[in-house]
Amino acid sequence: PPVDAALRRVYEAGPDPGAAVSLRFVLLGPPGSGKGTLASQLQESLGLEHLSTGEIFRHEVKRKTALGRQVERYVSNGQLVPDDLVVAVMTKRLTPARRRKGFMLDGFPRTVAQAQGLDTFLRQHGTSLTGVIALTCPAARLIVRLSGRQVCGTCDAIYHVRRMPPTRKGVCDRCGAALTVRKDAQIDTIRKRLRVDRTESAPLMAYYRRSKLLHRVDGRGTSEQALAKTMALLRREGWVRPGPQGRPIAEARVSAHQDGSVNGASRSFGRRGG
Ligand code: AMP
């Protein structure tokens, strides 16, 4: 299967022992594009940390931290948190260790002002983005995907009645709580969300296209295909460096999952949406 081939190549090509791959990505993609799933898979296979703004905010709100209280009214109304605040929160998480080891940003930046804030921060710390990966998918397909979504009210895990059903119908695999159909899984709501996303993301895509950082990945197929295409891109761009062949860790990790899951990543399907 393509996923095994793609992963085996990455592991075989993998970084020299001791020399970490430092890839600093922004992931873009409309809701339903499979962005969250791709992030989980890349986190698993390349060890890149996945920083999801929505998840960070929801976590802070739940824990009622100072930040949580500041962002709560925006998050609960589905309004964008002010740019300065988002940039401050997210750049604070881009610690020296993360800048060195690499990261994937998901849900940030969301505006050109945030993108500029991120660029400035990275430049001030002597680094920059490696690239921006935009997962693309036609609206009709996004609607089909989004309309079957179920969510766990307790741990935020996301399922899909057809594409990624839980093992036991209506029960979360991760924490055992009951699943509910998301209220945003209505067709009209989905159409509106996709429209808003297009309006929002167009200037951001243009910004990254101008900076020559933008790379599109076709997200129409399965999550394994999207991963394979992303891996191909990383290799083409030389972001995954050739190294010692056939490292044992590669073989062990790949052959352990003949079911097509990527080290269990497929079970964490879109731990958040998108
Ligand atoms: P999401 O899970 O990406 O839909 O984000 C949930 C909520 O967090 C959004 O409705 C916004 O209120 C807030 N949020 C997430 N990311 C950003 C961002 N980059 N800029 C502003 N607000 C954001």
Side-chain angles (χ1 to χ4, degrees):
V3 63
D4 276 7
L7 281 179
R8 189 170 294 117
R9 278 198 302 272
V10 167
Y11 292 138
E12 284 174 356
D16 317 323
V21 214
S22 177
L23 301 175
R24 296 166 305 279
F25 289 125
V26 167
L27 296 178
L28 298 179
S33 61
K35 185 172 47 134
T37 307
L38 180 66
S40 304
Q41 291 170 321
L42 290 174
Q43 172 160 313
E44 194 61 48
S45 52
L46 295 176
L48 295 179
E49 200 160 347
H50 172 203
L51 299 173
S52 154
T53 314
E55 229 168 64
I56 289 168
F57 286 162
R58 276 190 292 274
H59 179 77
E60 301 280 342
V61 169
K62 217 179 249 177
R63 285 181 44 219
K64 300 192 191 316
T65 61
L67 169 66
R69 281 195 293 272
Q70 263 179 298
V71 301
E72 182 163 20
R73 62 192 164 117
Y74 302 104
V75 175
S76 56
N77 292 321
Q79 286 171 331
L80 288 187
V81 174
D83 289 334
D84 290 352
L85 187 53
V86 181
V87 171
V89 168
M90 294 308 286
T91 55
K92 202 173 131 206
R93 301 208 173 217
L94 299 180
T95 55
R98 286 188 177 133
R99 297 200 299 271
R100 200 169 51 245
K101 289 186 192 153
F103 54 80
M104 287 172 292
L105 297 172
D106 171 4
F108 171 79
R110 204 148 146 177
T111 65
V112 171
Q114 291 178 17
Q116 288 167 334
L118 173 64
D119 281 350
T120 304
F121 172 85
L122 292 175
R123 197 164 48 240
Q124 282 166 352
H125 291 84
T127 184
S128 58
L129 286 176
T130 308
V132 175
I133 299 174
L135 260 185
T136 62
C137 192
R141 200 163 302 205
L142 294 174
I143 290 170
V144 171
R145 289 181 182 181
L146 292 168
S147 60
R149 272 192 177 180
Q150 291 182 314
V151 67
C152 172
T154 304
C155 77
D156 259 6
I158 291 179
Y159 300 87
H160 193 281
V161 288
R162 295 174 297 277
R163 288 165 57 85
M164 183 57 63
T167 313
R168 273 178 59 209
K169 201 174 163 206
V171 178
C172 180
D173 287 346
R174 206 155 74 175
C175 76
L179 301 179
T180 52
V181 172
R182 278 162 68 132
K183 34 178 195 301
D184 58 7
Q186 308 285 336
I187 295 288
D188 287 347
T189 315
I190 291 170
R191 287 221 173 86
K192 188 167 158 229
R193 258 176 91 200
L194 294 178
R195 251 196 326 271
V196 169
D197 179 80
R198 267 198 304 275
T199 313
E200 235 178 58
S201 63
L204 200 56
M205 301 270 276
Y207 176 82
Y208 284 128
R209 202 178 311 120
R210 278 197 302 277
S211 357
K212 307 255 187 292
L213 286 172
L214 189 70
H215 299 269
R216 290 166 190 276
V217 170
D218 180 353
R220 274 177 303 183
T222 63
S223 59
E224 285 78 13
Q225 286 167 333
L227 175 64
K229 283 173 190 160
T230 307
M231 291 307 191
L233 164 72
L234 303 190
R235 283 160 43 79
R236 214 163 46 236
E237 293 295 323
W239 290 332
V240 178
R241 273 176 293 133
Q245 296 287 307
R247 298 158 64 218
I249 184 170
E251 290 308 315
R253 293 181 74 179
V254 172
S255 59
H257 297 278
Q258 296 301 342
D259 61 349
S261 72
V262 183
N263 297 310
S266 66
R267 287 261 45 104
S268 60
F269 172 77
R271 273 169 48 247
R272 54 177 296 282

